[in-house]
Amino acid sequence: MDMSVNLLPLLPLRDIVVFPGMVVPLFVGREKSVAALEAAMAGDKDIFLLAQLDPACDDPDRDDLYETGVIASVLQLLKLPDGTVRVLVEGQERARLETLRTEHGEEGEMLVAGIEAIDSVEVEGTETAAMMRSVVDQFTEYAKLNKKLSQDAGENLADIEDAAKLADTVAAQISAKVADKQAVLSEPDTLKRLEMVYSFMEGELGVLQVERKIRGRVKRQMEKTQREYYLNEQLKAIQSELGGGDGDEVNELQELAEKIEKTKLSKEAREKATAELKKLRAMQPMSAEATVIRNYLDVLLGLPWGKKSKLKRDISEAQEVLDADHYALDKVKDRIIEYLAVQARTNKLKGPILCLVGPPGVGKTSLGKSIAKATGREFVRQSLGGVRDEAEIRGHRRTYIGSLPGKIVTNLRKAGKSNPLFLLDEIDKLGQDFRGDPASALLEVLDPEQNAKFQDHYLELDIDLSDVMFVCTANSLNLPQPLLDRMEIIRLEGYTEDEKVEIAERHLVHKQVEAHGLTENEFTLTQDGLRDLIRYYTREAGVRTLEREIARLARKSLRQILEGKATQVVVSSENLDQYAGVRKFRHGIGEEEHQVGAVTGLAWTEVGGELLTIESVTVPGKGAIKATGKLGEVMNESIQTAFSFVRARSPAYGIKPSVFYKKDIHIHMPEGAVPKDGPSAGIGMVTSIVSTLTGNPVRKDIAMTGEVTLRGRVLPIGGLKEKLLAALRGGITTVLIPEENRKDLAEIPENVKQGLEIIPVAHVDEVLAKALMEPPTAIEWTEADELAAAPPPHSGVSGATAH
């Protein structure tokens, strides 16, 4: 080994290590380095390349440089306009730095290094050969993964037979830190150098494989994203050509953000809306989930947050509106005016929850509209008839495809105000099946203490319904008790004849004249004609059938006018049958004369009161009683009670007890297809049985209602107003009612009380005294008479057969 020291210009290197046999372009800018290069070019073109420990050091000394470097030949030098120099150098052999000094030459100040060349040592052997082969194979794999190297770089190494050259060539081409490459350059043992580069490649290969996986994944995602973007752009272009708008997603999101900012949302709703919008921004515009979020935000922002109608406070004006729209119904009107009075004074009253209960056609639904008009609220109507699914009230959860909010939220959104009048129509027609019980879902809606935080499954937010005025309508109180408990029940009974006449003259006739294109002069319905129309062509609690009959008169009148048979039509009681046809009902009592065993009872139905005929006859038998007419269990028990009472008191009513051993009694209630039930026909049963057994006729102009006990007491009944109206419609003049119902007469219209003689009774004896043509006369009946009349024991022959 040559141990002589040579002096060569020194070129310090930043961030690079040059190996023997390696051709590298370098950019040189420091003055000392440029001077060293010029000195080298002036001499034999050799220069000493040595890496710096700290690349940031501009003026390195001995301590800032590594010990081992490379003697290199300058192949090409090019001065650039900015003063820097581009130089191409080729590494020749390793050398060690011995001395370092600064010299001033013709080219300027530069570093001169005293160096000692390091001779390479050739190594051979199977271990070296095996190591060389491993390095080549490893480098081939490395070159495939490293995009900076050519694909055939690994093949070129196969021709290198010198282990030292192979180690230097591989070390020059792999990506490694300056310190690691310097360690390879400084290592004198060739075999160790091979092991070092192999180890570096091993570590780098792991990193490159992970990089390749990441690149592949990113590439696939990029391809998918680019494809979707391309297709979306095409779709937007097509929509634009078709006139579907530019479909600018950014504008839509911006609009949503502005809406969220402007709408007076609750704190919870604002947080929810902001979170959903954030999710929407991160999604593909055409994805299914994005559509779900868009729909959700549309519903949420479409609700009337903080928007309220200005409520009317003028009580007299509200009264005028209610009176103009509906005749009578004073109880409901009073309740609404009372509510408005409190609202005007306190301005804090929660919306009341009313339930209007009454027969069809009495104006429950139209009354809801009038209340909205009188109070200054928006009107929203939701029919609950046939609703069986709880989700109709509370909505579906968003996890379901095609989910929607419930009817409460939907109608609130439609109203556009947070304090509308919400009419829940036909609440008694709610169904129930495996999908849930909507009546139970309404419990939260109709509870003033709970509905301030009503939760819809779709929105999953608290919605304040406390300002909403709920009005429910029903034909009967066939509702769950908890639901009834939450509502204020207001009963609407049927109209009297006078009320119907007034309603027809004020509203119905004018409405039908207008609907049929007639003028007021062309069609006239006299009051007598109107009364006959009500009496003989309708039998109802409301006025729907009456309106249809008036419409029929208007149609026939219009036809006559268009055919030229008349210029104007006046319908009176004399010519009513020409226009309305044959009379459908008889106005007056069912019987033209007093009859034995035929009693007129009074019944309550969902469509108002009805007259109920009770008939009884005696047939040969042995004291049994038979009842027909599709009677319910309660009514059958009522018949048994009446029969037992009459049998126990028979001598007092002039009936020989022996008759019960010889005759059966058959009680029948006509219209056998109509179900009948309830205890209120009890006194009618007693009267019919006594009349049949005594042969004493019942007065034809009297009707009665009341439950009977085994001691003959008359108990109170319900639906008194409807029953009295039915009696008045049917031409009855006298009605017997229980004494305990006397208090209810205060709510009966004056014209009904004037048209009927209403007699309260406390005992059956009073009933029989009033109802029978002749008061019952008691007979003497002793125990001896009883024994004589009784059939012989174990005779096997009934009294009827012996007779």
Side-chain angles (χ1 to χ4, degrees):
M1 184 183 290
D2 187 6
M3 298 297 290
S4 60
V5 175
N6 295 327
L7 293 175
L8 285 176
L10 173 67
L11 180 61
L13 303 178
R14 302 185 194 197
D15 293 325
I16 189 171
V17 175
V18 179
F19 287 88
M22 181 179 174
V23 177
V24 185
L26 300 172
F27 288 89
V28 181
R30 288 181 283 194
E31 292 179 0
K32 287 184 179 180
S33 300
V34 172
L37 280 170
E38 288 175 348
M41 290 298 289
D44 57 3
K45 296 188 179 180
D46 285 343
I47 194 167
F48 186 51
L49 305 178
L50 193 60
Q52 291 181 201
L53 285 164
D54 181 10
C57 183
D58 285 333
D59 189 13
D61 56 17
R62 177 70 183 263
D63 295 335
D64 297 320
L65 300 167
Y66 285 102
E67 292 289 329
T68 306
V70 174
I71 299 170
S73 298
V74 180
L75 302 179
Q76 188 180 19
L77 186 140
L78 179 66
K79 288 189 176 181
L80 298 175
D82 60 354
T84 59
V85 175
R86 182 183 183 278
V87 62
L88 191 67
V89 297
E90 180 182 8
Q92 299 294 336
E93 59 179 328
R94 285 175 172 78
R96 187 181 297 110
L97 177 65
E98 295 293 338
T99 60
L100 181 66
R101 67 175 185 268
T102 303
E103 288 187 2
H104 295 274
E106 294 178 5
E107 297 81 5
E109 188 177 359
M110 63 178 177
L111 291 174
V112 176
I115 60 171
E116 182 182 343
I118 303 173
D119 295 331
S120 60
V121 180
E122 291 185 7
V123 290
E124 292 180 354
T126 55
E127 187 179 355
T128 304
M131 195 68 220
M132 288 175 68
R133 191 178 299 170
S134 296
V135 168
V136 171
D137 293 342
Q138 188 82 310
F139 187 78
T140 304
E141 287 296 318
Y142 178 80
K144 287 178 183 176
L145 292 174
N146 195 330
K147 298 296 182 184
K148 295 177 183 176
L149 300 176
S150 61
Q151 292 294 321
D152 56 354
E155 297 172 6
N156 298 336
L157 292 182
D159 300 333
I160 300 174
E161 295 179 356
D162 183 8
K165 186 177 180 183
L166 177 65
D168 290 342
T169 305
V170 171
Q173 297 193 56
I174 64 173
S175 298
K177 296 176 183 176
V178 172
D180 293 338
K181 284 194 174 188
Q182 185 64 42
V184 175
L185 185 67
S186 303
E187 178 56 54
D189 190 333
T190 304
L191 190 58
K192 282 190 177 179
R193 285 210 299 273
L194 284 171
E195 288 176 358
M196 288 172 77
V197 294
Y198 185 85
S199 174
F200 293 151
M201 282 192 293
E202 190 74 35
E204 197 66 22
L205 266 175
V207 175
L208 288 172
Q209 283 170 349
V210 173
E211 277 184 2
R212 184 170 69 171
K213 284 182 184 177
I214 294 170
R215 272 201 307 272
R217 200 158 55 232
V218 170
K219 184 181 178 185
R220 284 194 300 273
Q221 185 63 35
M222 285 290 288
E223 287 173 354
K224 182 184 176 187
T225 306
Q226 286 171 346
R227 179 174 172 273
E228 287 179 356
Y229 175 77
Y230 176 70
L231 291 173
N232 282 330
E233 288 300 315
Q234 276 192 323
L235 183 62
K236 286 176 186 176
I238 292 167
Q239 286 175 339
S240 180
E241 288 297 320
L242 291 173
D246 58 3
D248 193 351
E249 177 71 14
V250 177
N251 287 349
E252 184 187 359
L253 293 174
Q254 188 62 35
E255 284 174 16
L256 284 171
E258 287 174 5
K259 262 190 179 180
I260 292 170
E261 189 65 34
K262 289 178 184 176
T263 308
K264 295 178 181 177
L265 299 169
S266 65
K267 183 181 177 184
E268 183 188 13
R270 188 173 299 282
E271 288 173 0
K272 185 78 172 172
T274 308
E276 294 294 327
L277 182 62
K278 188 178 178 182
K279 274 196 266 182
L280 185 60
R281 287 186 195 278
M283 285 181 184
Q284 292 297 326
M286 303 304 292
S287 69
E289 186 66 21
T291 307
V292 170
I293 292 178
R294 263 195 218 96
N295 292 340
Y296 176 82
L297 287 172
D298 285 344
V299 172
L300 181 62
L301 298 174
L303 286 172
W305 297 98
K307 295 179 184 175
K308 290 187 179 182
S309 302
K310 189 177 179 182
L311 301 182
K312 294 180 180 176
R313 297 170 183 270
D314 191 335
I315 295 174
S316 57
E317 184 186 340
Q319 184 75 55
E320 287 173 11
V321 170
L322 291 172
D323 288 340
D325 289 348
H326 289 82
Y327 180 74
L329 304 179
D330 295 328
K331 201 188 298 183
V332 191
K333 292 177 183 175
D334 288 345
R335 178 65 185 88
I336 301 305
I337 299 301
E338 287 163 11
Y339 162 72
L340 287 175
V342 180
Q343 179 73 34
R345 176 59 66 91
T346 64
N347 202 26
K348 291 178 183 176
L349 191 65
K350 290 181 180 177
I353 296 166
L354 309 178
C355 184
L356 309 178
V357 181
V362 295
K364 297 185 295 296
T365 305
S366 60
L367 187 60
K369 289 183 183 177
S370 294
I371 296 170
K373 187 176 170 185
T375 55
R377 294 172 181 264
E378 295 292 324
F379 178 73
V380 183
R381 176 183 170 272
Q382 177 60 48
S383 177
L384 298 177
V387 172
R388 298 192 300 273
D389 192 353
E390 178 210 357
E392 292 284 332
I393 308 297
R394 281 214 183 109
H396 301 84
R397 298 197 183 279
R398 274 197 293 160
T399 48
Y400 299 112
I401 294 171
S403 57
L404 290 169
K407 296 296 184 187
I408 303 293
V409 170
T410 305
N411 284 303
L412 204 60
R413 185 182 173 198
K414 191 191 296 183
K417 303 290 181 185
S418 63
N419 60 342
L421 184 140
F422 207 121
L423 183 74
L424 297 170
D425 216 1
E426 311 289 357
I427 196 170
D428 57 328
K429 310 295 188 303
L430 279 172
Q432 181 179 354
D433 65 3
F434 65 92
R435 285 170 288 189
D437 181 9
S440 298
L442 279 174
L443 294 179
E444 183 184 2
V445 177
L446 298 178
D447 190 340
E449 301 301 321
Q450 294 181 42
N451 65 10
K453 293 191 174 180
F454 170 70
Q455 275 238 348
D456 186 272
H457 287 160
Y458 182 81
L459 288 176
E460 295 177 330
L461 291 171
D462 288 341
I463 298 171
D464 187 1
L465 300 179
S466 60
D467 289 329
V468 179
M469 183 175 184
F470 287 100
V471 176
C472 309
T473 72
N475 294 131
S476 71
L477 290 177
N478 185 22
L479 289 166
Q481 188 57 40
L483 194 58
L484 278 174
D485 188 51
R486 282 163 167 76
M487 300 185 290
E488 185 175 340
I489 307 297
I490 299 177
R491 290 186 176 275
L492 303 182
E493 293 85 2
Y495 295 114
T496 63
E497 186 180 294
D498 290 343
E499 287 172 342
K500 287 184 180 180
V501 169
E502 197 69 37
I503 290 167
E505 288 180 342
R506 289 190 184 192
H507 303 286
L508 302 183
V509 174
H510 176 72
K511 180 180 175 183
Q512 292 306 322
V513 164
E514 199 173 279
H516 288 80
L518 292 162
T519 64
E520 296 290 344
N521 296 328
E522 287 177 327
F523 176 77
T524 307
L525 178 60
T526 65
Q527 192 172 100
D528 290 342
L530 182 56
R531 282 190 185 276
D532 281 2
L533 189 67
I534 294 167
R535 287 173 180 173
Y536 302 117
Y537 294 89
T538 69
R539 184 150 292 177
E540 57 173 347
V543 290
R544 279 209 183 108
T545 307
L546 177 60
E547 187 174 7
R548 283 194 290 270
E549 291 298 329
I550 293 171
R552 181 198 282 190
L553 301 182
R555 285 196 304 273
K556 289 187 180 293
S557 302
L558 181 61
R559 179 180 173 180
Q560 283 193 354
I561 291 168
L562 292 178
E563 287 176 348
K565 294 179 181 178
T567 55
Q568 63 175 22
V569 175
V570 178
V571 180
S572 63
S573 57
E574 286 80 18
N575 64 352
L576 179 63
D577 55 346
Q578 297 175 19
Y579 294 91
V582 179
R583 291 182 176 184
K584 298 176 183 177
F585 304 100
R586 285 187 297 167
H587 181 73
I589 57 175
E591 305 299 336
E592 298 296 333
E593 57 186 18
H594 309 304
Q595 290 200 8
V596 173
V599 177
T600 303
L602 297 172
W604 179 90
T605 68
E606 288 187 3
V607 295
E610 290 289 341
L611 295 180
L612 181 72
T613 304
I614 304 168
E615 300 177 344
S616 65
V617 296
T618 57
V619 295
K622 48 186 176 181
I625 188 159
K626 182 179 180 182
T628 55
K630 203 171 184 184
L631 311 181
E633 186 179 344
V634 176
M635 188 166 275
N636 271 310
E637 289 177 357
S638 183
I639 292 171
Q640 294 292 338
T641 304
F643 181 64
S644 297
F645 170 76
V646 173
R647 191 165 183 173
R649 295 282 306 276
S650 55
Y653 302 134
I655 303 167
K656 291 181 179 180
S658 58
V659 77
F660 295 109
Y661 300 125
K662 302 173 184 177
K663 293 185 180 295
D664 288 349
I665 296 175
H666 182 174
I667 292 183
H668 177 68
M669 295 191 185
E671 295 186 40
V674 180
K676 308 167 192 73
D677 205 356
S680 63
I683 61 174
M685 307 283 186
V686 172
T687 307
S688 179
I689 293 169
V690 171
S691 173
T692 302
L693 291 174
T694 60
N696 192 352
V698 181
R699 287 171 54 190
K700 64 181 182 181
D701 57 350
I702 200 164
M704 60 190 72
T705 178
E707 181 180 349
V708 72
T709 70
L710 281 172
R711 293 178 292 165
R713 289 179 56 227
V714 181
L715 300 184
I717 45 83
L720 181 63
K721 182 180 177 183
E722 289 91 339
K723 290 177 179 180
L724 293 178
L725 287 173
L728 190 65
R729 281 199 302 267
I732 301 293
T733 58
T734 306
V735 179
L736 305 180
I737 66 168
E739 177 66 39
E740 291 185 44
N741 282 110
R742 186 192 290 269
K743 62 183 185 304
D744 299 324
L745 292 175
E747 295 183 357
I748 304 300
E750 281 302 319
N751 63 334
V752 175
K753 288 190 276 191
Q754 290 170 5
L756 293 171
E757 183 187 359
I758 302 169
I759 303 173
V761 292
H763 196 273
V764 172
D765 291 349
E766 299 174 51
V767 176
L768 295 174
K770 297 284 184 184
L772 298 178
M773 290 300 295
E774 297 177 8
T777 306
I779 60 170
E780 291 290 334
W781 190 259
T782 63
E783 192 172 339
D785 294 331
E786 181 73 27
L787 290 171
H794 310 298
S795 66
V797 181
S798 71
T801 307
H803 180 73

